[in-house]
mmCIF file of all heavy atoms in Angstrom:
data_model
loop_
_atom_site.group_PDB
_atom_site.id
_atom_site.type_symbol
_atom_site.label_atom_id
_atom_site.label_comp_id
_atom_site.label_asym_id
_atom_site.label_seq_id
_atom_site.Cartn_x
_atom_site.Cartn_y
_atom_site.Cartn_z
ATOM 1 N N LYS A 1 -161.638 -206.611 15.979
ATOM 2 C CA LYS A 1 -162.927 -206.200 16.359
ATOM 3 C C LYS A 1 -163.483 -204.905 15.952
ATOM 4 O O LYS A 1 -164.661 -204.754 15.654
ATOM 5 C CB LYS A 1 -163.062 -206.515 17.975
ATOM 6 C CG LYS A 1 -164.359 -206.512 18.396
ATOM 7 C CD LYS A 1 -164.408 -206.770 20.088
ATOM 8 C CE LYS A 1 -165.940 -206.689 20.571
ATOM 9 N NZ LYS A 1 -165.878 -207.216 21.927
ATOM 10 N N GLY A 2 -162.582 -203.905 16.124
ATOM 11 C CA GLY A 2 -163.074 -202.515 15.728
ATOM 12 C C GLY A 2 -163.511 -202.393 14.273
ATOM 13 O O GLY A 2 -164.457 -201.791 13.841
ATOM 14 N N LEU A 3 -162.709 -203.039 13.314
ATOM 15 C CA LEU A 3 -163.086 -203.088 11.915
ATOM 16 C C LEU A 3 -164.409 -203.748 11.703
ATOM 17 O O LEU A 3 -165.346 -203.229 10.959
ATOM 18 C CB LEU A 3 -161.943 -203.842 11.167
ATOM 19 C CG LEU A 3 -162.346 -204.195 9.623
ATOM 20 C CD1 LEU A 3 -162.321 -202.926 8.735
ATOM 21 C CD2 LEU A 3 -161.454 -205.153 9.059
ATOM 22 N N ILE A 4 -164.545 -204.872 12.286
ATOM 23 C CA ILE A 4 -165.817 -205.693 11.980
ATOM 24 C C ILE A 4 -167.013 -205.018 12.588
ATOM 25 O O ILE A 4 -168.117 -204.944 11.975
ATOM 26 C CB ILE A 4 -165.643 -207.098 12.545
ATOM 27 C CG1 ILE A 4 -164.592 -207.778 11.717
ATOM 28 C CG2 ILE A 4 -166.978 -207.980 12.448
ATOM 29 C CD1 ILE A 4 -164.115 -209.091 12.279
ATOM 30 N N GLU A 5 -166.935 -204.307 13.770
ATOM 31 C CA GLU A 5 -168.008 -203.661 14.389
ATOM 32 C C GLU A 5 -168.322 -202.423 13.438
ATOM 33 O O GLU A 5 -169.496 -202.232 13.170
ATOM 34 C CB GLU A 5 -167.639 -203.087 15.792
ATOM 35 C CG GLU A 5 -167.609 -204.297 16.731
ATOM 36 C CD GLU A 5 -167.323 -203.767 18.213
ATOM 37 O OE1 GLU A 5 -166.411 -202.663 18.204
ATOM 38 O OE2 GLU A 5 -167.602 -204.340 19.159
ATOM 39 N N ARG A 6 -167.339 -201.771 12.945
ATOM 40 C CA ARG A 6 -167.606 -200.671 11.966
ATOM 41 C C ARG A 6 -168.392 -201.144 10.750
ATOM 42 O O ARG A 6 -169.420 -200.433 10.298
ATOM 43 C CB ARG A 6 -166.256 -199.854 11.567
ATOM 44 C CG ARG A 6 -166.663 -198.779 10.575
ATOM 45 C CD ARG A 6 -165.405 -198.542 9.732
ATOM 46 N NE ARG A 6 -165.662 -197.682 8.587
ATOM 47 C CZ ARG A 6 -164.848 -197.399 7.573
ATOM 48 N NH1 ARG A 6 -163.633 -197.795 7.676
ATOM 49 N NH2 ARG A 6 -165.234 -196.665 6.638
ATOM 50 N N ILE A 7 -167.874 -202.216 10.025
ATOM 51 C CA ILE A 7 -168.551 -202.717 8.958
ATOM 52 C C ILE A 7 -170.017 -203.104 9.227
ATOM 53 O O ILE A 7 -170.967 -202.777 8.512
ATOM 54 C CB ILE A 7 -167.713 -203.890 8.316
ATOM 55 C CG1 ILE A 7 -166.320 -203.399 8.011
ATOM 56 C CG2 ILE A 7 -168.431 -204.514 7.205
ATOM 57 C CD1 ILE A 7 -166.121 -202.392 7.091
ATOM 58 N N SER A 8 -170.233 -203.854 10.243
ATOM 59 C CA SER A 8 -171.514 -204.325 10.639
ATOM 60 C C SER A 8 -172.459 -203.199 10.965
ATOM 61 O O SER A 8 -173.618 -203.192 10.439
ATOM 62 C CB SER A 8 -171.478 -205.191 11.849
ATOM 63 O OG SER A 8 -170.550 -206.287 11.749
ATOM 64 N N LYS A 9 -172.044 -202.080 11.397
ATOM 65 C CA LYS A 9 -172.747 -200.854 11.804
ATOM 66 C C LYS A 9 -173.117 -200.005 10.451
ATOM 67 O O LYS A 9 -174.309 -199.624 10.324
ATOM 68 C CB LYS A 9 -172.182 -199.870 12.681
ATOM 69 C CG LYS A 9 -172.843 -198.585 13.113
ATOM 70 C CD LYS A 9 -171.966 -197.948 14.190
ATOM 71 C CE LYS A 9 -172.593 -196.589 14.520
ATOM 72 N NZ LYS A 9 -172.337 -195.618 13.613
ATOM 73 N N ASP A 10 -172.258 -199.990 9.617
ATOM 74 C CA ASP A 10 -172.405 -199.040 8.449
ATOM 75 C C ASP A 10 -172.765 -199.653 7.130
ATOM 76 O O ASP A 10 -173.284 -199.072 6.151
ATOM 77 C CB ASP A 10 -171.084 -198.249 8.274
ATOM 78 C CG ASP A 10 -170.783 -197.296 9.470
ATOM 79 O OD1 ASP A 10 -171.675 -197.025 10.183
ATOM 80 O OD2 ASP A 10 -169.501 -196.856 9.441
ATOM 81 N N ALA A 11 -172.619 -201.022 7.058
ATOM 82 C CA ALA A 11 -173.027 -201.773 5.735
ATOM 83 C C ALA A 11 -174.397 -201.561 5.288
ATOM 84 O O ALA A 11 -175.279 -201.717 6.122
ATOM 85 C CB ALA A 11 -172.475 -203.189 5.902
ATOM 86 N N LYS A 12 -174.600 -201.398 4.029
ATOM 87 C CA LYS A 12 -175.778 -201.396 3.347
ATOM 88 C C LYS A 12 -176.198 -202.635 2.640
ATOM 89 O O LYS A 12 -177.230 -202.771 1.946
ATOM 90 C CB LYS A 12 -176.006 -200.186 2.588
ATOM 91 C CG LYS A 12 -176.036 -198.825 3.216
ATOM 92 C CD LYS A 12 -176.229 -197.732 2.417
ATOM 93 C CE LYS A 12 -176.119 -196.326 3.164
ATOM 94 N NZ LYS A 12 -176.232 -195.138 2.304
ATOM 95 N N VAL A 13 -175.225 -203.679 2.874
ATOM 96 C CA VAL A 13 -175.439 -205.018 2.204
ATOM 97 C C VAL A 13 -175.321 -206.077 3.264
ATOM 98 O O VAL A 13 -174.677 -205.743 4.417
ATOM 99 C CB VAL A 13 -174.511 -205.312 1.047
ATOM 100 C CG1 VAL A 13 -174.854 -204.350 -0.146
ATOM 101 C CG2 VAL A 13 -173.040 -205.068 1.463
ATOM 102 N N PRO A 14 -175.778 -207.260 3.152
ATOM 103 C CA PRO A 14 -175.444 -208.271 4.168
ATOM 104 C C PRO A 14 -173.977 -208.380 4.543
ATOM 105 O O PRO A 14 -173.168 -208.425 3.698
ATOM 106 C CB PRO A 14 -176.124 -209.474 3.565
ATOM 107 C CG PRO A 14 -177.108 -209.065 2.648
ATOM 108 C CD PRO A 14 -176.515 -207.747 2.020
ATOM 109 N N VAL A 15 -173.798 -208.770 5.782
ATOM 110 C CA VAL A 15 -172.452 -209.052 6.339
ATOM 111 C C VAL A 15 -172.261 -210.496 6.827
ATOM 112 O O VAL A 15 -173.121 -210.834 7.680
ATOM 113 C CB VAL A 15 -171.959 -207.967 7.345
ATOM 114 C CG1 VAL A 15 -170.573 -208.134 7.951
ATOM 115 C CG2 VAL A 15 -172.108 -206.623 6.683
ATOM 116 N N ILE A 16 -171.180 -211.129 6.381
ATOM 117 C CA ILE A 16 -170.820 -212.386 7.117
ATOM 118 C C ILE A 16 -169.621 -212.076 7.984
ATOM 119 O O ILE A 16 -168.561 -211.703 7.571
ATOM 120 C CB ILE A 16 -170.449 -213.466 6.128
ATOM 121 C CG1 ILE A 16 -171.624 -213.697 5.188
ATOM 122 C CG2 ILE A 16 -169.916 -214.695 6.761
ATOM 123 C CD1 ILE A 16 -171.398 -214.730 4.026
ATOM 124 N N LYS A 17 -169.814 -212.254 9.289
ATOM 125 C CA LYS A 17 -168.728 -211.701 10.234
ATOM 126 C C LYS A 17 -168.541 -212.669 11.456
ATOM 127 O O LYS A 17 -169.355 -213.501 11.689
ATOM 128 C CB LYS A 17 -169.263 -210.387 10.711
ATOM 129 C CG LYS A 17 -170.395 -210.465 11.555
ATOM 130 C CD LYS A 17 -170.985 -209.085 12.061
ATOM 131 C CE LYS A 17 -172.159 -209.155 13.015
ATOM 132 N NZ LYS A 17 -173.236 -209.743 12.394
ATOM 133 N N HIS A 18 -167.458 -212.504 12.015
ATOM 134 C CA HIS A 18 -167.157 -212.784 13.380
ATOM 135 C C HIS A 18 -166.440 -211.672 14.171
ATOM 136 O O HIS A 18 -165.417 -211.104 13.468
ATOM 137 C CB HIS A 18 -166.445 -214.164 13.474
ATOM 138 C CG HIS A 18 -164.925 -214.060 13.475
ATOM 139 N ND1 HIS A 18 -164.346 -214.395 12.333
ATOM 140 C CD2 HIS A 18 -164.008 -213.809 14.298
ATOM 141 C CE1 HIS A 18 -162.935 -214.369 12.450
ATOM 142 N NE2 HIS A 18 -162.735 -213.983 13.724
ATOM 143 N N LEU A 19 -166.645 -211.424 15.376
ATOM 144 C CA LEU A 19 -166.161 -210.309 16.104
ATOM 145 C C LEU A 19 -164.859 -210.708 16.655
ATOM 146 O O LEU A 19 -163.847 -209.904 16.532
ATOM 147 C CB LEU A 19 -167.032 -209.759 17.093
ATOM 148 C CG LEU A 19 -168.358 -209.077 16.559
ATOM 149 C CD1 LEU A 19 -169.218 -208.682 17.705
ATOM 150 C CD2 LEU A 19 -167.935 -207.807 15.787
ATOM 151 N N ASP A 20 -164.734 -211.791 17.236
ATOM 152 C CA ASP A 20 -163.423 -212.156 17.819
ATOM 153 C C ASP A 20 -163.421 -213.667 18.001
ATOM 154 O O ASP A 20 -164.390 -214.416 17.855
ATOM 155 C CB ASP A 20 -163.114 -211.432 19.088
ATOM 156 C CG ASP A 20 -164.198 -211.415 20.083
ATOM 157 O OD1 ASP A 20 -165.105 -212.214 20.060
ATOM 158 O OD2 ASP A 20 -164.173 -210.498 21.073
ATOM 159 N N GLY A 21 -162.275 -214.222 18.476
ATOM 160 C CA GLY A 21 -162.129 -215.682 18.755
ATOM 161 C C GLY A 21 -161.670 -215.943 20.216
ATOM 162 O O GLY A 21 -160.736 -216.367 20.406
ATOM 163 N N ASN A 22 -162.664 -215.827 21.109
ATOM 164 C CA ASN A 22 -162.330 -216.229 22.489
ATOM 165 C C ASN A 22 -162.717 -217.660 22.597
ATOM 166 O O ASN A 22 -163.807 -218.022 22.915
ATOM 167 C CB ASN A 22 -163.196 -215.314 23.428
ATOM 168 C CG ASN A 22 -162.990 -215.708 24.894
ATOM 169 O OD1 ASN A 22 -161.918 -216.219 25.225
ATOM 170 N ND2 ASN A 22 -163.978 -215.341 25.723
ATOM 171 N N CYS A 23 -161.740 -218.556 22.382
ATOM 172 C CA CYS A 23 -161.914 -219.862 22.324
ATOM 173 C C CYS A 23 -161.592 -220.601 23.634
ATOM 174 O O CYS A 23 -160.597 -220.077 24.230
ATOM 175 C CB CYS A 23 -161.149 -220.505 21.117
ATOM 176 S SG CYS A 23 -161.543 -219.849 19.533
ATOM 177 N N HIS A 24 -162.465 -221.771 24.076
ATOM 178 C CA HIS A 24 -162.114 -222.359 25.321
ATOM 179 C C HIS A 24 -161.811 -223.784 25.074
ATOM 180 O O HIS A 24 -162.302 -224.419 24.117
ATOM 181 C CB HIS A 24 -163.378 -222.277 26.149
ATOM 182 C CG HIS A 24 -163.772 -220.885 26.628
ATOM 183 N ND1 HIS A 24 -164.391 -219.966 25.721
ATOM 184 C CD2 HIS A 24 -163.922 -220.303 27.841
ATOM 185 C CE1 HIS A 24 -164.828 -218.909 26.296
ATOM 186 N NE2 HIS A 24 -164.409 -219.045 27.663
ATOM 187 N N THR A 25 -161.012 -224.258 25.980
ATOM 188 C CA THR A 25 -160.776 -225.809 25.965
ATOM 189 C C THR A 25 -161.076 -226.140 27.568
ATOM 190 O O THR A 25 -160.499 -225.489 28.434
ATOM 191 C CB THR A 25 -159.271 -226.226 25.651
ATOM 192 O OG1 THR A 25 -159.037 -225.825 24.370
ATOM 193 C CG2 THR A 25 -159.039 -227.636 25.916
ATOM 194 N N TYR A 26 -162.054 -227.088 27.728
ATOM 195 C CA TYR A 26 -162.437 -227.579 28.910
ATOM 196 C C TYR A 26 -161.842 -229.015 29.198
ATOM 197 O O TYR A 26 -162.095 -229.922 28.355
ATOM 198 C CB TYR A 26 -163.980 -227.579 29.101
ATOM 199 C CG TYR A 26 -164.412 -228.324 30.236
ATOM 200 C CD1 TYR A 26 -164.060 -228.152 31.552
ATOM 201 C CD2 TYR A 26 -165.462 -229.363 29.946
ATOM 202 C CE1 TYR A 26 -164.609 -228.915 32.495
ATOM 203 C CE2 TYR A 26 -165.929 -230.219 31.041
ATOM 204 C CZ TYR A 26 -165.432 -229.914 32.370
ATOM 205 O OH TYR A 26 -165.931 -230.671 33.344
ATOM 206 N N VAL A 27 -161.056 -229.152 30.262
ATOM 207 C CA VAL A 27 -160.577 -230.413 30.611
ATOM 208 C C VAL A 27 -161.523 -231.063 31.727
ATOM 209 O O VAL A 27 -161.724 -230.564 32.762
ATOM 210 C CB VAL A 27 -159.129 -230.349 31.226
ATOM 211 C CG1 VAL A 27 -158.663 -231.718 31.612
ATOM 212 C CG2 VAL A 27 -158.109 -229.728 30.248
ATOM 213 N N ASP A 28 -162.209 -232.096 31.253
ATOM 214 C CA ASP A 28 -163.311 -232.691 31.926
ATOM 215 C C ASP A 28 -162.760 -233.752 33.110
ATOM 216 O O ASP A 28 -161.581 -234.160 32.993
ATOM 217 C CB ASP A 28 -164.204 -233.406 31.010
ATOM 218 C CG ASP A 28 -165.505 -233.955 31.564
ATOM 219 O OD1 ASP A 28 -165.969 -233.173 32.605
ATOM 220 O OD2 ASP A 28 -166.059 -234.808 31.270
ATOM 221 N N ASP A 29 -163.699 -234.174 33.895
ATOM 222 C CA ASP A 29 -163.381 -235.276 34.792
ATOM 223 C C ASP A 29 -164.515 -236.284 34.526
ATOM 224 O O ASP A 29 -165.637 -235.959 34.657
ATOM 225 C CB ASP A 29 -163.528 -234.771 36.161
ATOM 226 C CG ASP A 29 -163.297 -235.911 37.243
ATOM 227 O OD1 ASP A 29 -162.835 -236.942 36.935
ATOM 228 O OD2 ASP A 29 -163.715 -235.657 38.420
ATOM 229 N N PRO A 30 -164.116 -237.415 33.935
ATOM 230 C CA PRO A 30 -162.723 -237.942 33.668
ATOM 231 C C PRO A 30 -162.120 -237.552 32.443
ATOM 232 O O PRO A 30 -162.769 -237.167 31.405
ATOM 233 C CB PRO A 30 -162.972 -239.571 33.753
ATOM 234 C CG PRO A 30 -164.337 -239.619 33.124
ATOM 235 C CD PRO A 30 -165.102 -238.441 33.547
ATOM 236 N N CYS A 31 -160.717 -237.722 32.437
ATOM 237 C CA CYS A 31 -160.006 -237.392 31.167
ATOM 238 C C CYS A 31 -158.716 -237.979 31.114
ATOM 239 O O CYS A 31 -158.092 -238.228 32.179
ATOM 240 C CB CYS A 31 -159.762 -235.779 31.193
ATOM 241 S SG CYS A 31 -159.069 -235.118 29.753
ATOM 242 N N ASP A 32 -158.301 -238.195 29.873
ATOM 243 C CA ASP A 32 -156.848 -238.666 29.655
ATOM 244 C C ASP A 32 -155.932 -237.574 29.850
ATOM 245 O O ASP A 32 -155.893 -236.712 28.903
ATOM 246 C CB ASP A 32 -156.781 -239.384 28.426
ATOM 247 C CG ASP A 32 -155.358 -239.939 28.065
ATOM 248 O OD1 ASP A 32 -154.374 -239.443 28.638
ATOM 249 O OD2 ASP A 32 -155.251 -240.886 27.135
ATOM 250 N N LEU A 33 -155.316 -237.346 30.941
ATOM 251 C CA LEU A 33 -154.516 -236.181 31.225
ATOM 252 C C LEU A 33 -153.328 -235.983 30.336
ATOM 253 O O LEU A 33 -152.862 -234.915 30.070
ATOM 254 C CB LEU A 33 -154.225 -236.064 32.674
ATOM 255 C CG LEU A 33 -155.339 -236.072 33.706
ATOM 256 C CD1 LEU A 33 -154.869 -235.799 35.116
ATOM 257 C CD2 LEU A 33 -156.336 -234.999 33.207
ATOM 258 N N ASP A 34 -152.707 -237.102 29.978
ATOM 259 C CA ASP A 34 -151.678 -237.109 28.922
ATOM 260 C C ASP A 34 -152.143 -236.536 27.595
ATOM 261 O O ASP A 34 -151.348 -235.702 27.107
ATOM 262 C CB ASP A 34 -151.000 -238.516 28.778
ATOM 263 C CG ASP A 34 -150.254 -239.066 29.935
ATOM 264 O OD1 ASP A 34 -149.783 -238.157 30.794
ATOM 265 O OD2 ASP A 34 -150.190 -240.147 30.129
ATOM 266 N N MET A 35 -153.216 -237.011 27.149
ATOM 267 C CA MET A 35 -153.865 -236.440 26.034
ATOM 268 C C MET A 35 -154.119 -234.905 26.224
ATOM 269 O O MET A 35 -153.753 -234.141 25.262
ATOM 270 C CB MET A 35 -155.129 -237.146 25.585
ATOM 271 C CG MET A 35 -155.845 -236.465 24.360
ATOM 272 S SD MET A 35 -157.471 -237.127 24.135
ATOM 273 C CE MET A 35 -158.359 -236.171 25.543
ATOM 274 N N ALA A 36 -154.695 -234.654 27.348
ATOM 275 C CA ALA A 36 -155.206 -233.264 27.597
ATOM 276 C C ALA A 36 -153.871 -232.271 27.533
ATOM 277 O O ALA A 36 -153.909 -231.232 27.062
ATOM 278 C CB ALA A 36 -155.918 -233.056 28.904
ATOM 279 N N LEU A 37 -152.795 -232.820 28.156
ATOM 280 C CA LEU A 37 -151.577 -231.937 28.191
ATOM 281 C C LEU A 37 -151.169 -231.616 26.754
ATOM 282 O O LEU A 37 -150.843 -230.464 26.486
ATOM 283 C CB LEU A 37 -150.460 -232.734 28.954
ATOM 284 C CG LEU A 37 -149.279 -231.881 29.235
ATOM 285 C CD1 LEU A 37 -149.614 -230.870 30.339
ATOM 286 C CD2 LEU A 37 -148.091 -232.886 29.742
ATOM 287 N N THR A 38 -151.084 -232.543 25.905
ATOM 288 C CA THR A 38 -150.773 -232.406 24.499
ATOM 289 C C THR A 38 -151.591 -231.485 23.749
ATOM 290 O O THR A 38 -151.180 -230.492 23.059
ATOM 291 C CB THR A 38 -150.700 -233.714 23.693
ATOM 292 O OG1 THR A 38 -149.700 -234.540 24.454
ATOM 293 C CG2 THR A 38 -150.157 -233.608 22.310
ATOM 294 N N VAL A 39 -152.935 -231.627 23.839
ATOM 295 C CA VAL A 39 -153.933 -230.859 23.204
ATOM 296 C C VAL A 39 -154.029 -229.444 23.715
ATOM 297 O O VAL A 39 -154.028 -228.516 22.916
ATOM 298 C CB VAL A 39 -155.333 -231.637 23.163
ATOM 299 C CG1 VAL A 39 -156.449 -230.593 22.664
ATOM 300 C CG2 VAL A 39 -155.358 -232.850 22.646
ATOM 301 N N VAL A 40 -153.987 -229.222 24.906
ATOM 302 C CA VAL A 40 -154.091 -227.796 25.467
ATOM 303 C C VAL A 40 -152.789 -227.093 25.039
ATOM 304 O O VAL A 40 -152.938 -225.941 24.714
ATOM 305 C CB VAL A 40 -154.214 -227.870 27.027
ATOM 306 C CG1 VAL A 40 -154.065 -226.437 27.631
ATOM 307 C CG2 VAL A 40 -155.547 -228.424 27.413
ATOM 308 N N ASP A 41 -151.659 -227.763 25.151
ATOM 309 C CA ASP A 41 -150.405 -227.020 24.696
ATOM 310 C C ASP A 41 -150.535 -226.679 23.337
ATOM 311 O O ASP A 41 -150.168 -225.621 22.882
ATOM 312 C CB ASP A 41 -149.262 -228.115 24.919
ATOM 313 C CG ASP A 41 -147.910 -227.485 24.540
ATOM 314 O OD1 ASP A 41 -147.814 -226.262 24.406
ATOM 315 O OD2 ASP A 41 -146.967 -228.391 24.309
ATOM 316 N N ASN A 42 -150.936 -227.544 22.354
ATOM 317 C CA ASN A 42 -151.133 -227.256 20.993
ATOM 318 C C ASN A 42 -152.158 -226.105 20.666
ATOM 319 O O ASN A 42 -152.007 -225.131 19.981
ATOM 320 C CB ASN A 42 -151.516 -228.456 20.157
ATOM 321 C CG ASN A 42 -151.688 -228.187 18.682
ATOM 322 O OD1 ASN A 42 -152.885 -227.899 18.230
ATOM 323 N ND2 ASN A 42 -150.657 -228.225 17.958
ATOM 324 N N ALA A 43 -153.312 -226.224 21.506
ATOM 325 C CA ALA A 43 -154.277 -225.350 21.240
ATOM 326 C C ALA A 43 -153.941 -223.885 21.627
ATOM 327 O O ALA A 43 -154.409 -222.859 21.009
ATOM 328 C CB ALA A 43 -155.608 -225.684 22.079
ATOM 329 N N LYS A 44 -153.100 -223.724 22.661
ATOM 330 C CA LYS A 44 -152.587 -222.400 23.021
ATOM 331 C C LYS A 44 -151.424 -221.971 22.431
ATOM 332 O O LYS A 44 -151.287 -220.823 21.833
ATOM 333 C CB LYS A 44 -152.511 -222.443 24.583
ATOM 334 C CG LYS A 44 -152.038 -220.890 25.047
ATOM 335 C CD LYS A 44 -152.987 -219.894 24.764
ATOM 336 C CE LYS A 44 -152.545 -218.505 24.459
ATOM 337 N NZ LYS A 44 -153.458 -217.522 24.189
ATOM 338 N N THR A 45 -150.408 -222.892 22.301
ATOM 339 C CA THR A 45 -148.953 -222.366 21.987
ATOM 340 C C THR A 45 -148.423 -222.725 20.557
ATOM 341 O O THR A 45 -147.479 -222.131 20.078
ATOM 342 C CB THR A 45 -147.976 -222.861 22.995
ATOM 343 O OG1 THR A 45 -147.739 -224.290 22.719
ATOM 344 C CG2 THR A 45 -148.420 -222.806 24.394
ATOM 345 N N GLN A 46 -149.211 -223.520 19.765
ATOM 346 C CA GLN A 46 -148.877 -223.754 18.418
ATOM 347 C C GLN A 46 -148.583 -222.498 17.592
ATOM 348 O O GLN A 46 -147.677 -222.409 16.868
ATOM 349 C CB GLN A 46 -149.679 -224.803 17.733
ATOM 350 C CG GLN A 46 -149.263 -225.428 16.380
ATOM 351 C CD GLN A 46 -149.794 -224.738 15.336
ATOM 352 O OE1 GLN A 46 -150.616 -223.906 15.222
ATOM 353 N NE2 GLN A 46 -149.062 -224.847 14.193
#
């Protein structure tokens, strides 16, 4: 994040950026909980 903030602040040409990856997984009601267990495990721990 520090690098990207610095570049975005100081650059004199256009910047294609992302600052960080705070990604969410939402387990809804209703949901296939067996599927959710597999997907959440992969999304976090793979």
Side-chain angles (χ1 to χ4, degrees):
K1 190 173 183 177
L3 169 72
I4 295 169
E5 286 179 335
R6 176 204 164 188
I7 300 302
S8 302
K9 177 176 177 285
D10 296 340
K12 295 182 180 180
V13 297
V15 179
I16 299 175
K17 66 183 184 296
H18 84 259
L19 290 177
D20 48 22
N22 179 22
C23 302
H24 296 72
T25 297
Y26 164 57
V27 180
D28 189 35
D29 179 17
C31 183
D32 180 335
L33 298 186
D34 290 334
M35 175 197 70
L37 192 70
T38 300
V39 173
V40 172
D41 180 20
N42 179 267
K44 179 62 205 177
T45 72
Q46 192 264 340

